[in-house]
Every structure is written in structure tokens, then in C-alpha cells.
């Protein structure tokens, strides 16, 4: 059956066949979600006829802002049945450029995303996790909870409210934002200096703050076996200092993702000569392009442009979303859709609003 190639465990799938099957799924009255079936009426093309390849996804308008108000019930594809229909959570974007957008994460996709990212953690064995991360409504905290469970340990958490710190910065209260960030590190210190922690998950700005405290650097060096950074951006110089000078010998790997793709890309093992982290996606389910924002044209590998994200599964369709980040286009892994990205940075403004990254 054509829908079989949409399964997460399907192998040797032709990318164009996958895209065509995805269009049939999301725009058939029997399998599509109420949102996309309704939205199709306003499109000036027929996805089932006109979208034949990955490149054709650029026909879609960027509808991501509509996810600020659409009822989550309308995002559930009618074709999902049984375990496929089990919801892992309703997750929201950070609200950096306006009201948050909401998305439905289904259990099979959540577990697949974690399994795919297990690549970096597979040899760690049993250990506890400390996550300095939001508990909700963001995905970050749920991923950390499940990561700890996979390693048969407990998750210690320091609850981060990224919207509050962005609000403080936006209001000009940099002192308040600084106090809040230090408050987070104080809480992390109480755990790192008294408990066993093998995996530390944090954002780059918080890792930098932690690195300023000698006793916490020693605590991390003594017991942490893996450092995962995500939720904000890290430049090559900071990455090199943390890896070589502050936490030598401890693997430091990043995730670059977004709620608007319901997942992440992971840092490539191979090192670039310039020291930049390269991020690969779990293709064909998530795929990136890097474009000239003025024209929408794809840029050559090595050129910097704005990131376009696509989530392409039977669980959700989020195509052609121009993100609030720029990146250098990088050669993709063999057989994958789109491109890899390196040196990700936030844009200064997006949708006529200033982008405030804060600590997340």
C-alpha cells in the first residue's frame, strides 16, 4: 500500500515517492487532518497533483503563524488509528515573535526522534540526567525526561521559563534577567555538588554561566560523561573554549531544532576545519533548506542564508517554514533531503519584531 512508505521504520524509500505519498495522506479526506483539508481549499495548486518532489514543497505558503490559533483537535490526521493516535503532548514555540504556536506531538514520533538522537548516548549506560530546561510547554523538558528514562536513571531538573527572561530583556530589565539566570545556576549548583549526574543538558548561555564558577566546573569534570547543548546558539569560539579549556575530555554535542519541526537535527561526528558544528536531520522526516531570504532561492554549500524547515511525516505536515535563524548551507549526508546546516545564528529581526534569544 502506498501509505506503507510513510512508516517510520520504512527502508530504502525513494524521496520523491515519499513526498508524493505524504501529499496523498495529508490531502485525502479519509486520512488528512481537518486543518489541512480546510486549508487546501485556499491553495492555488493541488498538492496531490503538483507536489511531486521535495523542491515542490516551496509551492506551499508559510502557514506557520496560523498555528497560533488553530484548535489542536484540527491538527490530528484522520488516518491515525490505534497506537499511532496516542498523543505525547501539546507543545508550544517560545513566543519570541508573538503569541506561541501550538503543535501536537504523537507518541510514535516522539519515540522515533529520541531513538534517532540516541546515536550520541548509546554507550553511556546507566546514569542520571540534569536538565536546565523548560518543563513545559516546550518539547525540551519532555525530551530530557525521556532521555533520563532511557538511561535507567532519574532526571534532576531546574525549571527554566524562557518567556520570562525574554520579557525582562525586552523591557530593558537586563539586571533582572541576569539575576534570574544566576538563580538558575544556583539551583543547578545545589544538584551538581550533592548528586550523581552523568548527563548535563543546558543551553549555551547557561553553560557559559556555569563555567564561570570554579566549583561547578570541577563538579562537572569529576562526574559528567556527556554535555548536551540546545535551545540557543553557540559560536565556534565558545564551543572550542568549552571543549578544550573548560570541560576537556567530556563530549559536548549540540542539537538544533524547533517546535515548528517537532524535533531536532543532531551534531555531526565529523569535525570541520573551521570548528563549526554541522547539523544533520532525520531525513526524510525533517529536512532543511538554506535560502536567500529576498528571493527564496536555494544557496550553494558554503553560503549563508535563512533556514527553511520542513516536518514531513504522517503525524504532521509543516512545510516551507522560514525560520528566524541564518546558517551556512552544508553538504547533506548521502541520500538525505535538503541540506545540512552549520554556524546557526538568530536573525536580528523577524516578522518586524526584534528577536530576543535570552538563555533559550
Amino acid at each position: 500500500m502506498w501509505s506503507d512508505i510513510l512508516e517510520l521504520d520504512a527502508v530504502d524509500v525513494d524521496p520523491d515517492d515519499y513526498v508524493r505519498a505524504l501529499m496523498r495522506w495529508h490531502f485525502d479526506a479519509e486520512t488528512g487532518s481537518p486543518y489541512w483539508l480546510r486549508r487546501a481549499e485556499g491553495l492555488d495548486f493541488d498538492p496531490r497533483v503538483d507536489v511531486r518532489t521535495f523542491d515542490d514543497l516551496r509551492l506551499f505558503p508559510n502557514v506557520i503563524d496560523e498555528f497560533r490559533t488553530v484548535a489542536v483537535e484540527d491538527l490530528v490526521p484522520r488516518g491515525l488509528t490505534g497506537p499511532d493516535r496516542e498523543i505525547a503532548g501539546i507543545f508550544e514555540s517560545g513566543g519570541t515573535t508573538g503569541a506561541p504556536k501550538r503543535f501536537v506531538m504523537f507518541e510514535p514520533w516522539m519515540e522515533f526522534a529520541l531513538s534517532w538522537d540516541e546515536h550520541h548516548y548509546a554507550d553511556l549506560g546507566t546514569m542520571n540526567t540534569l536538565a536546565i530546561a523548560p518543563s513545559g510547554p516546550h518539547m525540551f523538558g519532555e525530551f530530557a525526561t525521556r532521555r533520563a528514562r532511557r538511561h535507567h536513571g532519574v532526571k534532576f531538573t531546574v525549571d527554566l521559563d524562557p518567556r520570562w527572561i525574554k520579557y525582562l530583556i525586552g523591557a530593558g530589565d537586563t539586571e533582572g534577567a541576569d539575576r534570574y539566570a544566576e538563580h538558575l545556576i544556583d539551583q543547578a549548583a545545589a544538584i551538581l555538588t550533592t548528586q550523581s549526574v552523568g548527563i548535563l543538558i543546558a543551553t549555551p548561555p547557561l553553560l557559559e554561566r556555569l563555567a564561570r564558577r570554579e566549583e561547578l566546573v570541577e563538579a562537572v569534570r569529576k562526574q559528567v560523561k556527556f554535555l548536551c547543548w540546545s535551545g540557543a546558539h553557540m559560536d565556534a569560539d565558545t564551543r572550542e573554549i568549552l571543549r578544550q579549556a573548560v570541560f576537556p575530555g567530556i563530549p559536548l554535542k549540540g542539537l538544533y531544532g524547533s517546535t515548528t519541526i517537532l524535533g531536532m537535527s543532531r551534531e555531526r561526528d565529523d569535525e570541520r576545519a573551521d570548528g563549526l558544528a554541522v547539523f544533520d536531520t532525520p531525513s526524510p522526516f525533517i529536512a532543511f533548506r538554506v535560502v536567500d531570504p529576498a528571493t527564496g532561492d536555494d544557496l550553494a554549500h558554503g553560503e549563508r542564508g535563512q533556514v527553511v524547515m520542513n516536518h514531513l511525516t504522517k503525524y504532521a505536515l509543516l512545510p516551507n517554514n522560514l525560520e528566524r535563524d541564518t546558517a551556512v548551507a552544508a553538504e547533506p549526508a548521502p541520500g538525505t533531503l535538503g541540506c545540512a546546516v552549520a554556524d546557526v545564528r538568530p536573525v536580528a529581526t523577524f516578522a518586524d519584531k526584534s528577536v530576543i534569544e535570552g538563555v533559550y
Side-chain angles (χ1 to χ4, degrees):
M1 185 178 176
W2 61 267
S3 59
D4 290 345
I5 69 174
L6 299 179
E7 297 300 322
L8 297 175
D9 57 359
V11 296
D12 298 325
V13 174
D14 179 84
D16 291 343
D17 287 344
Y18 183 85
V19 169
R20 288 190 286 270
L22 194 73
M23 294 300 103
R24 289 183 64 181
W25 173 271
H26 283 291
F27 294 97
D28 186 286
E30 297 297 319
T31 53
S33 68
Y35 168 78
W36 274 116
L37 294 174
R38 182 173 63 246
R39 191 63 178 80
E41 298 173 2
L43 300 176
D44 58 4
F45 63 96
D46 184 344
R48 292 170 297 180
V49 174
D50 299 316
V51 179
R52 313 293 296 170
T53 69
F54 174 67
D55 286 343
D56 293 334
L57 290 170
R58 69 186 70 199
L59 290 171
F60 282 97
N62 188 354
V63 300
I64 210 71
D65 283 345
E66 297 176 18
F67 286 73
R68 301 184 196 275
T69 57
V70 65
V72 295
E73 293 84 357
D74 286 353
L75 300 178
V76 179
R78 293 170 178 171
L80 296 180
T81 59
D84 270 343
R85 201 178 176 89
E86 183 179 351
I87 294 175
I90 305 298
F91 299 113
E92 297 185 2
S93 64
T96 301
T97 57
K101 311 170 191 78
R102 294 177 189 83
F103 305 89
V104 183
M105 175 83 85
F106 291 93
E107 190 67 29
W109 170 249
M110 168 74 83
E111 284 302 309
F112 172 87
L114 276 165
S115 297
W116 180 78
D117 185 44
E118 187 69 21
H119 169 81
H120 287 315
Y121 299 83
D123 298 329
L124 293 179
T126 300
M127 55 185 56
N128 297 332
T129 298
L130 168 60
I132 313 174
S135 58
H138 309 281
M139 295 186 305
F140 201 176
E142 180 65 17
F143 272 110
T145 296
R146 296 182 183 226
R147 176 66 60 210
R149 192 178 302 153
R150 280 171 172 260
H151 286 273
H152 308 289
V154 301
K155 185 191 85 166
F156 299 106
T157 187
V158 174
D159 194 18
L160 160 64
D161 183 352
R163 294 178 187 168
W164 178 244
I165 206 163
K166 289 176 184 179
Y167 171 80
L168 293 175
I169 294 171
D173 187 1
T174 55
E175 290 187 6
D178 186 71
R179 287 196 302 271
Y180 181 78
E182 287 301 307
H183 173 60
L184 296 173
I185 300 302
D186 288 341
Q187 294 174 76
I191 296 168
L192 283 169
T193 57
T194 64
Q195 303 296 322
S196 172
V197 175
I199 299 171
L200 174 59
I201 302 173
T203 67
L206 293 177
L207 278 177
E208 291 178 47
R209 284 179 179 270
L210 188 151
R212 299 172 193 167
R213 301 194 190 186
E214 184 175 344
E215 74 279 11
L216 297 188
V217 171
E218 290 303 315
V220 170
R221 288 176 175 176
K222 181 179 179 180
Q223 62 175 331
V224 171
K225 305 302 181 186
F226 190 90
L227 289 163
C228 173
W229 61 272
S230 186
H233 302 94
M234 184 183 293
D235 60 57
D237 289 342
T238 299
R239 180 170 175 265
E240 188 67 11
I241 290 170
L242 290 176
R243 293 171 70 200
Q244 301 299 329
V246 184
F247 305 120
I250 304 175
L252 174 69
K253 293 293 183 180
L255 298 174
Y256 170 51
S258 169
T259 310
T260 58
I261 51 169
L262 291 168
M264 77 291 279
S265 57
R266 71 184 182 210
E267 186 175 336
R268 186 178 292 179
D269 290 332
D270 297 340
E271 293 288 331
R272 283 170 58 113
D274 56 14
L276 296 174
V278 179
F279 296 95
D280 293 306
T281 68
S283 176
F285 311 119
I286 293 174
F288 295 159
R289 294 165 51 224
V290 175
V291 304
D292 180 333
T295 65
D297 293 336
D298 289 341
L299 296 178
H301 299 151
E303 293 185 318
R304 173 172 293 280
Q306 201 155 347
V307 180
V308 173
M309 292 185 168
N310 299 269
H311 178 100
L312 308 168
T313 69
K314 69 178 185 178
Y315 301 99
L317 175 64
L318 302 166
N320 203 30
N321 172 35
L322 188 69
E323 263 290 344
R324 57 175 179 82
D325 297 315
T326 68
V328 173
E331 185 78 29
T336 60
L337 295 176
C339 66
V341 296
D343 196 20
V344 179
R345 306 173 190 169
V347 297
T349 59
F350 188 77
D352 298 324
K353 296 180 183 293
S354 296
V355 172
I356 300 172
E357 189 169 48
V359 297
Y360 179 78

